[in-house]
Amino acid sequence: MPAALLLAALLAAPPAIPSLDRARALQAEGRWTEALQTYRAVADAADTAAVTDPSTVATARNNACVLLNEMGDFKAALVECEAALRIRRALNDPPRIARTLSNTGLCLHSLGEFGEAEARFREALEVSRLRGDAEGQVANLSNLGLVATSQGRYHRALERHTGASALAFKHIAEPWAEPQVLLSQINQGIVREKMGDWPTALALLQPVLDQEDRLDPRRRAALRVDAGIVHRNLGNPEKALENLRAALALYESQGDKAGMARAWLDTGLVHQPKEPRAAEEAYRTALRLAVESGDPAEASESLYDLGQLYLDQGRAGEAEAAFRRGLEAARASGSPEGVWSALGGLARLAAVRGEDDKALKLLDEAMAAIEASRGTLRRSALQPFAFGEKRSAYIAAIELLVRLEARQQGAGYAETALTVLQELKVRELQETLGGAGTVAALDAGQLRDQVGDGVLLEYFAGGRNLLLWVVREKSVTLADLGPARPILDDALAVHAALARSQEPDPARLARLSATLLGPAGKLRGDVKIAADGELRYLPFDLLTDSSGTPVIEAASTSSLPAGSALGWLRHLDDSMPVYTLAGVGAPVVPPGTQAGDFAAAYRLPPLSEAGSELQSLTKQLPGRHVVLLGPQDTESELRQVIYNGIRIAHFASHAVVDDRPGQGAAILFTPADEDNGLLYPEEIAEMTYRADLSILPHFHILPLPGARSGDALNALTGSFLAAGSPAVLVSLWDVEDGARAAFLKQLYAELGDGRRPADALRRTRQHLRDDPRWRRPDQWAGFVLVGSSPRVAYTNRMRYVFGIAALAALALAPWLLDRKPRRWHND
C-alpha cells in the first residue's frame, strides 16, 4: 500500500479503546492517577460503544472506586462504587455484587457514615454466606470489626475479628487464608491499641512482625507504624523509632509519600517530649511530603503538631501561623478532625495571651464542629492536646468558664460550664455504648426543672481541679474543690478498705465530707449524685453533710451517670408488665468458651445458691414471677422476658467491672447459639429494656487510679438507663454472702411494702447498720441505686386499702352527683 494511503487509513481508523488490562497494570505499578484516568476512559468507551458492555463498565467503575478511596477522595469513590453497584444488581451477579458492596462500605466508613457502612458490609456478608464464599465472609467480618472499632464498640470489634480469624483458619490450605489470619491478628492489635491496652496490642502484633515477609510491602509498612505507636505509648522510644524507620524505608521503596508523611508525623511525636528540635524537623518533613502527595488532611495534622510545639516553646507568632494554615488545609480537605483541632489550638493560644472571650468563641466553634461530626471522644495517652481528641476542647471550655465565673460571679458562666459538662458526659457515655440507647444532654435550666424539690450534686474530675455544681430548683452554684488527685486518692483508699472488709480511715471520711459535701449545705430529701472518675466508687452515705448529719440519716441518695439522665428516666405504665419479678442466674459456662475463659480469668465461682435466693425473694412480692436458671439463663431468654415488660429484673449472676486498659464490664450468662455468654454494656443499651428496676448484687470491681477509672462502672450502669430502665441497683464491692442475703431479704420486704426503691434502699441500709450482725459499713454501704424509679410492687394490704377507697367512692358517688351547687346572689 502506498505510504499516503496507509497514512490516510491510520487517520481514519477509530482510536484504540483503552483496556482494563492496561489500567490494572498502571495500578500495579503505582501510577494511580494514570490508572484512574484509564479506568474512567474504559467505562466511558464501553458505555458509549455501539453495543454497550455493562459488565466492563461496572468493573471499571468498581476499580476506580478502589483507587479513589486509596487516594483519599472518598466522595468521588462513593459515586463510582454506587454506579458499579447499580449495574451489578441489574446483572444479578452475586460475587461481584458482594465485592462492590464491600467497597461501597469502605467508602462510607471513610466518610464517617458508620451505620450505612455496616449495612453494606452485612449485606455483602449475607451474599457471601449464601454462596458459600469463605473468603468473602472473612473479609466482611473484618470490615464489620473495622466499623465497630470506629464506633468505640471494642468488644464487638474483637468478636468480629476473632470470628474472621477462626473462619480463615478453617481454610488455611487455601492461598488467601494465611494472609487473612495475619490481618485479623493485626486488627485485633489495633483494637487493643485503641483501648489503651498497649501490652496486649504488642503481644498480638509481635508474632506478625516475626513473619512480616508474608505481607505485601504496604501492609508491612502500616504494621511497622502500628508497632511504633505501641512502643511509643509503652515508653520505649528506641523501639518506636526502629519500627518507624523500617516503615519509612518500605514506603520510600513504594514511592508512597502519603505513607512517609504519616511515619514522619509519628516520629515527631516520639521525639517531642525530650527532643523538640528533632520533633520540629520531623513535623516539617511530614508537612512537605503531605503537600507533595496532595493530602491536605495529613498536612493539617502536621501543621497542628507544629503549632503545638511552637506554643509549648513560647513561639506564639509561629504557632498562630501554623494553626491558621492547618485550619485552612482542614477546611479544604473536609477534615472535621483538622478543623476542631486547629480551632482548639487557636483557642489555647488566645487563652495564653489572656484573650478569654476570643478563646471561648473559638472553643464554641470547635465544639460545634465536634457535635456535627461522628466518632469517639478519644483520650490521648501522650499529651493533653492531641490531634483529633475531642475531650480537650470541652475540658478547656469548662476550665475557662470556671475562671470567668470566679472573676464575674453571677454572670452565668457557671450555668454555661454545667451545660458544656453535660454535653461532654453524655457524649462520652453514648460513644462508650457505641451510639446505642436513647440519651440526650440537658442544659442548666432543664436540670433545675428536673431536680424539683431535691438537689443534684454534679462533679467533674476531668481537669486539673475537682469541680462541683450544686443544682436546686432555683439556683446553680459552682465550687472549685481544689486539686483533684488528692481527693480521688482518698476516695479510692476508702473503697479499698471497704472491699477488704476493713473500717475506712475516719480522717479520710472527714476530709471527703468537708470537701465533697461542705459546699452543698444541709442535705435533705432526694439527693442525686452525678460523680466522676474514682468518685463513682465512693459510698456517699458514709459521709456527713455540712451540719454534721450522716447522709444516711439526712437524705435518700441515688447516683446518675450525668445530671442529664434525669431526662431519660421513664417507667412502665401499669398495663405493661407481664411479671413483677424476673430472675436470671446460675449460668453454665463450659471451659473453652468465651464465657468459660472469662469466668476462669476472674475466678468466678458457680452461684449454686442462686435458685434458692431467687425463690425466697419471689415470696416477698405479689404478682407473677419467672425464674430462668442454668441452661435457661441465656441472653436471648433475657431479651424476650425484658421485652414483654417486668417490674424488677434480678440478676443472680456475676457482673465484672474492670478498669484496666482493654477490659471493661460484662455480665455472665450461659452461652447459647450465637450468644457468647457475655452481655456487654453496648448490648444492653441496644435492647428494648422494659423493666422499672434492675438489681445486680453480685458485683466484682477492679478500680484503678487514673483518668479512666470509673468508666467501666459508668458504662454498665448507664447502659440500663440508656436502654429505658429508670433504675439499677449494684454493689460497689463483693459483699460477703451472709450480708448480701440479709440485705436482699430486707430490701425486697421494703419494696414489697410499696416503697420507692430509693426509700427502700435507705431503710435497708439503716436496718443492717443497726443490726449487730451486719453493722460494719462494708456489709451495707456498698449497695447503690443508679437512677430513680417509682414503686415497683404493692402489698396485699395496700391493695385492700385501695379497694376500700374505691368502694367508698362508688358508694358516695350518687350522693355527690345528686347535690346541686348553691347559687349566691348579691343585692
Side-chain angles (χ1 to χ4, degrees), residues 72 74 81 167 198 216 267 278 381 389 421 423 442 453 488 500 528 555 566 570 593 627 663 727 733 756 806:
F74 308 124
C81 259
L167 182 56
W198 311 111
D216 64 75
T267 300
E389 184 184 290
L421 177 58
E423 292 169 355
L442 303 182
D453 57 2
L488 300 178
R500 294 192 298 265
K528 304 290 191 299
L566 291 171
R570 53 194 182 277
T593 62
V627 175
Q663 301 307 312
W733 50 82
R756 296 183 310 123

Side-chain angles (χ1 to χ4, degrees), residues 151-171:
Q151 292 175 320
R153 304 163 84 173
Y154 298 128
H155 292 104
R156 180 69 57 82
L158 289 172
E159 286 181 12
R160 296 298 190 187
H161 291 313
T162 53
S165 179
L167 182 56
F169 201 77
K170 288 181 181 179
H171 298 265

